Amino acid sequence: MAKTKKKRPDESRWISLDDSNDGPPPAGWARYEAPSGRPYFHHKASGKTTWHFSETLPDPPPDRASPDTAATAALLDSVTCPVSLALIVDPVVAEDGFTYEREAIERWLKDKDAAKSPRTGVLMGPRLLNSGDGRSRVLAVIESGLVDDVAASAWHVASANLNIEGALPGGFASARDHLKRGQALSPSPEGGLLLEAFTARDQHEDMLRRAADADLASKIGRILDPSFVAASPKPPKRPRPSSVGPRDRARRRAPLA
């Protein structure tokens, strides 16, 4: 005789009951009631369901992070500023030896001769040092897939802003690259608008080059930029007045005796 597979109750109709009824189930298990009114038990971690937990339930797994999970959490913590709670964009190392977002830790230390470390709670001075490999470590974590797309995109947009302002090396070329990568991960209005500005800048420069070739630089310059002032030709030089008076000229023309 073929065995029939028990049908699992419809989860949308589960009703949570007080665990104290007829004795609480082991840790990790919850008591529910099926539509028929019969109680059953579900283990969330393993996904197992049973009618009689006292007869069939195994010991629940320990509630502790695996080594891989713990290592991942520590890695993410090392690239996250404890003040801004965001991925570090412009990293600096404070006197406590930890890495922070420059603007965030500068605000933290502002107008204080000594402030408590956000990490250790111990007093530290205001000296900050640039972190040589800080940004490369953050980028490596992003590219490993450990950071969600929204946070990674925000990091790229923030990096582009600092490139544009000149606070980070790389200039406009690096800013454009960050914006493209950020928009590919998770499009944002800010990133999209900045990319549009770069596109408009390219079109503007191309138009001026073609205008110069067509001897229309002045006219097109005025159209593209209302504040454009064309270089005017220099006025002709006025003749210098002669230092010789009328009497001198008459005396020069008089014949010699």
Side-chain angles (χ1 to χ4, degrees), residues 10-21:
D10 182 8
E11 295 185 7
S12 65
R13 302 179 63 187
W14 288 0
I15 304 171
S16 180
L17 299 179
D18 186 356
D19 287 343
S20 63
N21 292 344

Side-chain angles (χ1 to χ4, degrees), residues 236-244 249:
K237 292 184 178 181
R238 299 178 64 180
R240 296 178 62 182
S242 175
S243 61
V244 179
R249 286 196 293 270

Side-chain angles (χ1 to χ4, degrees), residues 18 27 35 44 73 96 113 133 150 172 191 197 210 226 247 257:
D18 186 356
K44 295 181 180 180
D96 60 357
D113 293 333
D133 64 342
V150 174
F172 286 169
R210 290 188 286 128
R247 291 183 179 180

Side-chain angles (χ1 to χ4, degrees), residues 68-91:
D68 290 343
T69 303
T72 298
L75 184 59
L76 289 174
D77 184 67
S78 69
V79 296
T80 301
C81 176
V83 181
S84 67
L85 302 180
L87 293 174
I88 300 173
V89 181
D90 188 6

